[in-house]
Amino acid sequence: MNISARTLRPSGGKDRHSKVFTAKGPRDRRVRLSVSTAIQFYDVQDRLGYDQPSKAVEWLMKKAKNAIDELSQIPLPGIDRLTLPS
């Protein structure tokens, strides 16, 4: 997966987390999961044998690529079509 992303490092203030720029604007690199989702995610990470959550996320994204690509064919109300990198 070769996606180039622009990141923004914080220059002060309360929010000291780096950001990535998305189609909907800058977002935290951190992801907050509900308790049940976090338990499921870390179970998957353990089963895969990865010690870093980012490796498990990369694996999940790669496995879900076909389903994600199909999302561009589904019209979503109130959202303009986004051009996804191929």
XYZ file of all heavy atoms in Angstrom:
681
model
N 0.852 -1.162 0.000
C 0.000 0.000 0.000
C 0.899 1.226 0.000
O 1.658 1.433 0.943
C -0.886 -0.055 1.239
C -1.987 0.954 1.225
S -3.052 0.792 2.665
C -4.148 -0.450 2.089
N 0.829 2.033 -1.012
C 1.710 3.182 -1.124
C 0.873 4.451 -1.102
O 0.541 5.003 -2.128
C 2.532 3.083 -2.409
C 3.574 4.163 -2.484
O 3.792 4.883 -1.523
N 4.199 4.285 -3.627
N 0.533 4.901 0.087
C -0.256 6.117 0.236
C 0.632 7.166 0.870
O 1.184 6.948 1.942
C -1.493 5.867 1.125
C -2.401 4.825 0.492
C -2.237 7.152 1.379
C -3.571 4.447 1.355
N 0.785 8.273 0.186
C 1.569 9.344 0.790
C 0.621 10.216 1.602
O -0.452 10.573 1.154
C 2.277 10.161 -0.291
O 1.339 10.770 -1.123
N 1.016 10.522 2.799
C 0.185 11.340 3.672
C 1.007 12.504 4.179
O 2.200 12.370 4.418
C -0.324 10.506 4.843
N 0.345 13.614 4.312
C 1.019 14.773 4.890
C 0.686 14.800 6.366
O -0.453 14.623 6.762
C 0.542 16.042 4.218
C 0.905 16.089 2.751
C 0.586 17.392 2.126
N -0.768 17.824 2.439
C -1.208 19.053 2.230
N -0.422 19.944 1.694
N -2.433 19.374 2.534
N 1.691 15.021 7.180
C 1.469 15.097 8.615
C 1.806 16.483 9.112
O 2.571 17.212 8.493
C 2.319 14.066 9.387
O 3.687 14.315 9.121
C 1.963 12.651 8.991
N 1.226 16.831 10.220
C 1.445 18.130 10.844
C 1.845 17.884 12.283
O 1.140 17.207 13.025
C 0.153 18.955 10.793
C 0.136 20.282 11.530
C 1.096 21.250 10.866
C -1.261 20.855 11.541
N 2.993 18.384 12.664
C 3.448 18.270 14.043
C 2.897 19.451 14.828
O 2.834 20.576 14.325
C 4.978 18.287 14.107
C 5.605 17.118 13.435
C 5.668 15.986 14.402
N 6.229 14.814 13.728
C 6.190 13.626 14.231
N 5.624 13.435 15.385
N 6.697 12.610 13.585
N 2.510 19.204 16.056
C 1.964 20.301 16.866
C 3.047 21.318 17.222
O 4.212 20.973 17.361
C 1.462 19.590 18.120
C 2.276 18.351 18.207
C 2.576 17.959 16.780
N 2.649 22.559 17.338
C 3.617 23.596 17.675
C 3.345 24.179 19.047
O 3.916 25.180 19.425
C 3.583 24.701 16.620
O 2.299 25.275 16.569
N 2.473 23.571 19.796
C 2.170 24.065 21.131
C 0.697 23.894 21.426
O -0.036 23.280 20.671
N 0.279 24.403 22.536
C -1.119 24.299 22.903
C -1.420 22.973 23.587
O -0.543 22.193 23.918
N -2.679 22.713 23.780
C -3.112 21.552 24.535
C -2.996 20.247 23.745
O -2.621 19.213 24.283
C -4.565 21.773 24.935
C -4.964 21.146 26.215
C -6.364 21.598 26.569
C -6.751 21.026 27.912
N -8.107 21.354 28.251
N -3.346 20.269 22.464
C -3.364 19.063 21.651
C -1.989 18.822 21.048
O -1.610 19.435 20.070
C -4.412 19.200 20.542
C -4.614 17.926 19.766
O -4.098 16.872 20.185
O -5.287 17.981 18.731
N -1.220 17.918 21.653
C 0.158 17.701 21.229
C 0.329 16.493 20.329
O 1.420 15.979 20.186
C 1.052 17.552 22.442
C 1.134 18.825 23.230
C 2.091 18.677 24.370
N 1.474 19.373 25.491
C 1.503 18.965 26.722
N 2.149 17.869 27.039
N 0.922 19.646 27.668
N -0.741 15.999 19.746
C -0.644 14.820 18.893
C -0.491 15.234 17.439
O -1.121 16.176 16.978
C -1.878 13.940 19.066
C -2.017 13.456 20.465
N -1.290 12.410 20.953
C -2.774 13.902 21.490
C -1.603 12.221 22.219
N -2.494 13.121 22.570
N 0.355 14.505 16.711
C 0.531 14.834 15.305
C -0.740 14.502 14.543
O -1.543 13.668 14.961
C 1.733 14.088 14.716
O 1.544 12.704 14.798
N -0.929 15.166 13.448
C -2.140 15.029 12.644
C -1.790 14.501 11.262
O -0.671 14.643 10.791
C -2.816 16.397 12.464
C -3.042 17.190 13.705
C -4.334 16.836 14.329
C -4.635 17.799 15.471
N -5.160 17.135 16.601
N -2.774 13.907 10.609
C -2.663 13.576 9.193
C -3.786 14.320 8.493
O -4.850 14.559 9.062
C -2.761 12.050 8.933
C -1.566 11.332 9.482
C -4.035 11.461 9.491
N -3.536 14.730 7.260
C -4.541 15.449 6.502
C -5.372 14.459 5.701
O -4.835 13.625 4.983
C -3.889 16.472 5.572
C -3.339 17.651 6.318
C -2.006 17.693 6.667
C -4.166 18.697 6.689
C -1.493 18.771 7.367
C -3.667 19.780 7.389
C -2.326 19.820 7.731
N -6.684 14.540 5.839
C -7.610 13.676 5.116
C -8.531 14.561 4.282
O -8.439 15.792 4.337
C -8.457 12.831 6.083
O -9.345 13.692 6.795
C -7.587 12.063 7.061
N -9.421 13.926 3.549
C -10.382 14.682 2.737
C -11.283 15.547 3.612
O -11.808 16.557 3.157
C -11.229 13.720 1.910
N -11.442 15.177 4.872
C -12.285 15.944 5.785
C -11.478 16.830 6.721
O -11.970 17.284 7.735
C -13.157 14.998 6.601
C -14.217 14.316 5.775
C -15.163 13.584 6.674
C -16.314 13.042 5.860
N -17.379 12.535 6.696
N -10.208 17.063 6.384
C -9.386 17.942 7.187
C -8.419 17.182 8.072
O -8.344 15.962 8.017
N -7.658 17.920 8.911
C -6.656 17.260 9.754
C -7.316 16.388 10.814
O -8.352 16.738 11.366
C -5.904 18.419 10.389
C -6.752 19.604 10.235
C -7.669 19.364 9.083
N -6.715 15.232 11.060
C -7.220 14.312 12.085
C -6.057 13.818 12.936
O -4.940 13.680 12.455
C -7.882 13.099 11.431
C -9.020 13.454 10.532
C -10.212 12.663 10.915
N -11.324 13.008 10.041
C -12.266 12.169 9.716
N -12.218 10.932 10.140
N -13.266 12.552 8.971
N -6.359 13.512 14.210
C -5.360 12.919 15.099
C -4.892 11.595 14.540
O -5.670 10.855 13.949
C -5.972 12.624 16.479
C -5.777 13.753 17.461
O -5.085 14.712 17.122
O -6.321 13.647 18.569
N -3.616 11.285 14.738
C -3.125 9.967 14.360
C -3.622 8.915 15.338
O -3.654 7.745 15.030
C -1.600 9.967 14.332
C -1.063 10.697 13.120
C 0.426 10.625 13.024
N 0.899 9.248 13.136
C 2.087 8.920 13.598
N 2.901 9.856 14.025
N 2.456 7.681 13.646
N -4.016 9.320 16.522
C -4.545 8.371 17.505
C -5.951 7.962 17.111
O -6.704 8.728 16.528
C -4.630 9.014 18.890
C -3.311 9.412 19.454
C -3.502 10.071 20.799
N -4.424 11.187 20.679
C -5.136 11.672 21.680
N -5.053 11.148 22.866
N -5.929 12.699 21.505
N -6.313 6.742 17.459
C -7.668 6.261 17.225
C -8.213 5.787 18.561
O -7.578 4.986 19.247
C -7.678 5.098 16.209
C -9.070 4.533 16.052
C -7.133 5.554 14.875
N -9.385 6.248 18.919
C -10.009 5.815 20.165
C -11.018 4.730 19.839
O -11.870 4.895 18.970
C -10.695 6.985 20.850
C -9.705 8.008 21.311
C -10.378 9.130 22.041
N -9.349 10.087 22.425
C -9.605 11.343 22.696
N -10.819 11.797 22.623
N -8.624 12.145 23.038
N -10.928 3.627 20.531
C -11.812 2.500 20.303
C -12.699 2.296 21.522
O -12.273 2.526 22.648
C -10.997 1.223 20.066
C -9.975 1.255 18.941
C -9.151 -0.026 18.953
C -10.655 1.438 17.610
N -13.922 1.831 21.278
C -14.768 1.457 22.402
C -14.128 0.259 23.097
O -13.265 -0.425 22.524
C -16.171 1.099 21.914
O -16.121 -0.097 21.152
N -14.554 -0.020 24.306
C -13.959 -1.119 25.065
C -14.109 -2.437 24.325
O -13.144 -3.192 24.171
C -14.582 -1.199 26.484
C -14.120 -2.450 27.211
C -14.235 0.040 27.289
N -15.314 -2.735 23.842
C -15.527 -4.024 23.167
C -14.721 -4.122 21.874
O -14.149 -5.169 21.570
C -17.015 -4.262 22.893
O -17.522 -3.269 22.029
N -14.631 -3.018 21.117
C -13.843 -3.024 19.883
C -12.357 -3.170 20.197
O -11.645 -3.895 19.504
C -14.095 -1.739 19.073
O -15.491 -1.645 18.788
C -13.320 -1.738 17.775
N -11.883 -2.513 21.244
C -10.467 -2.615 21.628
C -10.117 -4.056 22.010
O -9.065 -4.572 21.602
C -10.167 -1.675 22.789
N -10.994 -4.720 22.754
C -10.748 -6.108 23.137
C -10.665 -6.985 21.899
O -9.753 -7.804 21.761
C -11.841 -6.606 24.109
C -11.682 -5.898 25.461
C -11.768 -8.118 24.278
C -12.857 -6.100 26.394
N -11.601 -6.794 20.957
C -11.583 -7.580 19.720
C -10.331 -7.288 18.906
O -9.698 -8.197 18.362
C -12.821 -7.283 18.881
C -14.102 -7.776 19.488
C -15.315 -7.316 18.702
O -15.190 -6.746 17.622
N -16.491 -7.555 19.236
N -9.967 -6.010 18.811
C -8.798 -5.634 18.018
C -7.520 -6.239 18.600
O -6.704 -6.821 17.882
C -8.653 -4.117 17.926
C -7.374 -3.704 17.258
C -7.224 -3.831 15.893
C -6.306 -3.241 18.011
C -6.031 -3.489 15.269
C -5.121 -2.895 17.400
C -4.987 -3.022 16.022
N -7.321 -6.103 19.908
C -6.098 -6.638 20.514
C -6.072 -8.159 20.465
O -4.997 -8.758 20.402
C -5.897 -6.095 21.927
C -5.545 -4.617 21.886
C -6.344 -3.663 22.482
C -4.410 -4.196 21.206
C -6.016 -2.313 22.418
C -4.073 -2.847 21.132
C -4.882 -1.914 21.744
O -4.557 -0.591 21.664
N -7.232 -8.803 20.461
C -7.279 -10.251 20.265
C -6.762 -10.606 18.870
O -5.959 -11.520 18.709
C -8.701 -10.770 20.463
C -8.797 -12.264 20.289
O -7.967 -12.989 20.883
O -9.703 -12.718 19.562
N -7.214 -9.857 17.863
C -6.728 -10.076 16.491
C -5.223 -9.833 16.428
O -4.476 -10.620 15.839
C -7.473 -9.169 15.476
C -6.804 -9.182 14.118
C -8.922 -9.582 15.355
N -4.759 -8.747 17.045
C -3.329 -8.433 17.044
C -2.526 -9.572 17.663
O -1.492 -9.982 17.117
C -3.079 -7.141 17.816
C -1.618 -6.749 17.866
C -1.393 -5.481 18.660
O -2.263 -4.637 18.763
N -0.232 -5.347 19.242
N -3.006 -10.107 18.781
C -2.311 -11.220 19.436
C -2.304 -12.463 18.557
O -1.297 -13.157 18.450
C -2.953 -11.545 20.782
C -2.708 -10.462 21.823
O -1.797 -9.636 21.614
O -3.449 -10.440 22.827
N -3.433 -12.759 17.918
C -3.518 -13.938 17.048
C -2.567 -13.821 15.855
O -2.014 -14.808 15.399
C -4.936 -14.130 16.534
C -5.895 -14.594 17.585
C -7.277 -14.693 17.015
N -8.232 -15.026 18.039
C -9.315 -15.735 17.818
N -9.587 -16.162 16.612
N -10.141 -16.001 18.791
N -2.388 -12.598 15.352
C -1.481 -12.376 14.229
C -0.023 -12.393 14.681
O 0.880 -12.532 13.854
C -1.787 -11.036 13.550
C -3.117 -10.952 12.822
C -3.400 -9.508 12.397
C -3.135 -11.876 11.618
N 0.209 -12.232 15.965
C 1.569 -12.241 16.483
C 2.304 -10.925 16.308
O 3.531 -10.883 16.361
N 1.578 -9.838 16.114
C 2.194 -8.522 15.955
C 2.338 -7.849 17.304
O 1.447 -7.928 18.151
C 1.367 -7.630 15.030
C 1.333 -8.083 13.595
C 0.131 -8.158 12.908
C 2.489 -8.405 12.919
C 0.096 -8.559 11.575
C 2.458 -8.810 11.591
C 1.261 -8.879 10.926
O 1.232 -9.282 9.628
N 3.455 -7.144 17.502
C 3.649 -6.416 18.745
C 3.266 -4.940 18.613
O 3.252 -4.222 19.595
C 5.094 -6.543 19.235
C 6.111 -6.050 18.221
O 5.737 -5.837 17.059
O 7.286 -5.883 18.590
N 2.948 -4.504 17.396
C 2.546 -3.113 17.175
C 1.143 -3.074 16.583
O 0.858 -3.765 15.598
C 3.494 -2.427 16.201
C 4.906 -2.292 16.711
C 5.805 -1.678 15.669
O 5.526 -1.744 14.469
N 6.890 -1.082 16.114
N 0.257 -2.251 17.155
C -1.089 -2.141 16.609
C -1.106 -1.708 15.139
O -1.952 -2.169 14.364
C -1.752 -1.079 17.488
C -0.979 -1.101 18.756
C 0.420 -1.467 18.374
N -0.149 -0.867 14.724
C -0.143 -0.397 13.334
C 0.048 -1.546 12.356
O -0.511 -1.535 11.256
C 0.939 0.660 13.129
O 2.214 0.116 13.409
N 0.810 -2.560 12.739
C 1.006 -3.724 11.857
C -0.303 -4.487 11.696
O -0.635 -4.942 10.606
C 2.079 -4.643 12.421
C 3.410 -3.983 12.583
C 4.331 -4.449 11.517
C 5.719 -3.887 11.796
N 6.292 -3.249 10.686
N -1.067 -4.618 12.786
C -2.361 -5.300 12.714
C -3.337 -4.499 11.858
O -4.096 -5.063 11.066
C -2.922 -5.525 14.115
N -3.312 -3.171 11.987
C -4.196 -2.327 11.171
C -3.828 -2.460 9.695
O -4.704 -2.591 8.836
C -4.126 -0.848 11.620
C -4.840 0.054 10.630
C -4.721 -0.692 13.007
N -2.528 -2.458 9.378
C -2.097 -2.637 7.983
C -2.592 -3.971 7.433
O -3.075 -4.044 6.303
C -0.578 -2.563 7.877
C -0.024 -1.173 8.047
C 1.499 -1.151 8.069
O 2.133 -2.154 7.676
O 2.054 -0.123 8.485
N -2.486 -5.041 8.222
C -2.948 -6.362 7.796
C -4.452 -6.337 7.538
O -4.924 -6.842 6.514
C -2.608 -7.403 8.867
C -2.972 -8.796 8.471
C -2.193 -9.684 7.789
C -4.207 -9.461 8.738
N -2.884 -10.853 7.620
C -4.112 -10.757 8.186
C -5.380 -9.098 9.388
C -5.146 -11.685 8.264
C -6.414 -10.011 9.461
C -6.293 -11.283 8.909
N -5.205 -5.744 8.466
C -6.664 -5.667 8.301
C -7.049 -4.866 7.061
O -7.955 -5.251 6.314
C -7.307 -5.049 9.547
C -7.302 -5.930 10.797
C -7.649 -5.103 12.027
C -8.281 -7.081 10.630
N -6.356 -3.746 6.828
C -6.661 -2.910 5.663
C -6.367 -3.664 4.361
O -7.119 -3.567 3.395
C -5.864 -1.604 5.711
C -6.226 -0.704 6.873
S -7.901 -0.066 6.775
C -7.719 1.105 5.455
N -5.256 -4.398 4.341
C -4.898 -5.163 3.151
C -5.940 -6.241 2.864
O -6.371 -6.426 1.728
C -3.521 -5.806 3.327
C -2.989 -6.457 2.070
C -1.638 -7.107 2.302
C -0.585 -6.046 2.531
N 0.773 -6.602 2.660
N -6.382 -6.947 3.912
C -7.372 -8.007 3.743
C -8.739 -7.461 3.353
O -9.510 -8.142 2.686
C -7.494 -8.843 5.023
C -6.275 -9.657 5.321
C -6.056 -10.703 4.247
C -4.851 -11.549 4.530
N -4.613 -12.565 3.527
N -9.050 -6.233 3.772
C -10.359 -5.639 3.488
C -10.356 -4.789 2.227
O -11.370 -4.178 1.891
C -10.806 -4.790 4.676
N -9.248 -4.739 1.493
C -9.115 -3.849 0.340
C -10.254 -3.993 -0.666
O -10.822 -3.000 -1.106
C -7.781 -4.062 -0.362
C -7.581 -3.081 -1.525
C -6.272 -3.280 -2.200
C -6.014 -2.318 -3.336
N -7.109 -1.705 -4.003
N -10.618 -5.219 -1.033
C -11.690 -5.413 -2.019
C -13.013 -4.852 -1.519
O -13.735 -4.186 -2.262
C -11.826 -6.887 -2.379
C -10.639 -7.390 -3.170
O -9.937 -6.627 -3.808
N -10.402 -8.695 -3.103
N -13.345 -5.110 -0.264
C -14.589 -4.589 0.296
C -14.547 -3.063 0.384
O -15.542 -2.395 0.122
C -14.844 -5.193 1.671
N -13.396 -2.508 0.728
C -13.250 -1.053 0.802
C -13.404 -0.440 -0.579
O -14.072 0.589 -0.755
C -11.896 -0.672 1.439
C -11.882 -1.080 2.912
C -11.612 0.812 1.282
C -10.524 -1.002 3.567
N -12.815 -1.075 -1.599
C -12.938 -0.566 -2.963
C -14.392 -0.564 -3.427
O -14.806 0.318 -4.182
C -12.085 -1.391 -3.926
C -10.599 -1.162 -3.728
O -10.225 -0.157 -3.069
O -9.812 -1.983 -4.223
N -15.182 -1.519 -2.965
C -16.599 -1.573 -3.337
C -17.385 -0.419 -2.734
O -18.441 -0.054 -3.252
C -17.211 -2.898 -2.895
C -16.738 -4.081 -3.715
C -17.302 -5.398 -3.214
O -18.256 -5.375 -2.399
O -16.783 -6.445 -3.628
N -16.896 0.174 -1.654
C -17.587 1.300 -1.031
C -17.728 2.486 -1.971
O -18.693 3.241 -1.878
C -16.851 1.748 0.233
C -16.932 0.825 1.425
C -16.056 1.358 2.555
C -18.359 0.655 1.894
N -16.776 2.648 -2.884
C -16.854 3.780 -3.810
C -18.037 3.640 -4.767
O -18.452 4.612 -5.389
C -15.553 3.925 -4.595
O -15.352 2.799 -5.428
N -18.604 2.446 -4.870
C -19.749 2.220 -5.748
C -21.078 2.453 -5.034
O -22.122 2.497 -5.664
C -19.709 0.795 -6.298
C -18.468 0.519 -7.114
C -18.323 -0.947 -7.449
O -19.212 -1.746 -7.203
N -17.176 -1.306 -8.004
N -21.047 2.606 -3.720
C -22.258 2.799 -2.937
C -22.458 4.288 -2.705
O -21.598 4.955 -2.130
C -22.158 2.074 -1.578
C -21.957 0.580 -1.788
C -23.393 2.348 -0.731
C -21.644 -0.177 -0.512
N -23.595 4.848 -3.152
C -23.837 6.272 -2.908
C -24.137 6.518 -1.430
O -24.949 5.836 -0.827
C -25.060 6.579 -3.783
C -25.730 5.267 -3.986
C -24.671 4.211 -3.896
N -23.435 7.476 -0.854
C -23.637 7.829 0.542
C -24.341 9.177 0.615
O -23.912 10.137 -0.014
C -22.301 7.891 1.277
C -21.496 6.597 1.307
C -20.126 6.836 1.933
C -22.243 5.532 2.064
N -25.433 9.277 1.361
C -26.172 10.535 1.439
C -25.346 11.629 2.104
O -24.698 11.388 3.123
C -27.400 10.177 2.294
C -27.004 8.956 3.045
C -25.989 8.237 2.206
N -25.345 12.803 1.515
C -24.667 13.954 2.084
C -23.165 13.974 1.923
O -22.499 14.850 2.425
N -22.593 12.993 1.224
C -21.141 12.949 1.041
C -20.842 12.917 -0.441
O -21.371 12.073 -1.167
C -20.524 11.718 1.733
C -20.765 11.795 3.239
C -19.049 11.618 1.426
C -20.274 10.600 3.998
N -20.011 13.872 -0.889
C -19.575 13.852 -2.278
C -18.653 12.670 -2.493
O -17.983 12.207 -1.590
C -18.827 15.145 -2.628
C -19.730 16.354 -2.568
O -20.951 16.195 -2.788
O -19.223 17.463 -2.294
N -18.614 12.205 -3.730
C -17.700 11.093 -4.047
C -16.271 11.534 -3.829
O -15.859 12.604 -4.242
C -17.868 10.669 -5.494
C -19.169 10.013 -5.750
C -18.909 8.743 -6.500
N -20.204 8.138 -6.682
C -20.466 6.905 -6.359
N -19.521 6.149 -5.920
N -21.641 6.416 -6.526
N -15.537 10.703 -3.161
C -14.115 10.980 -2.926
C -13.311 10.133 -3.871
O -13.661 8.987 -4.164
C -13.726 10.615 -1.492
C -14.461 11.373 -0.389
C -14.043 10.818 0.966
C -14.148 12.839 -0.457
N -12.232 10.659 -4.346
C -11.333 9.889 -5.196
C -10.364 9.154 -4.297
O -9.579 9.768 -3.592
C -10.577 10.818 -6.160
O -11.512 11.581 -6.894
C -9.709 10.002 -7.091
N -10.460 7.835 -4.297
C -9.581 7.032 -3.472
C -8.364 6.634 -4.282
O -8.469 6.320 -5.455
C -10.307 5.755 -2.988
C -11.529 6.003 -2.122
C -12.217 4.682 -1.810
C -11.137 6.683 -0.835
N -7.173 6.651 -3.634
C -5.974 6.238 -4.364
C -6.057 4.762 -4.717
O -6.570 3.964 -3.968
C -4.843 6.494 -3.370
C -5.486 6.637 -2.042
C -6.905 7.022 -2.269
N -5.549 4.413 -5.886
C -5.611 3.010 -6.305
C -4.360 2.280 -5.977
O -3.397 2.780 -5.539
C -5.896 2.905 -7.777
O -5.075 3.776 -8.508
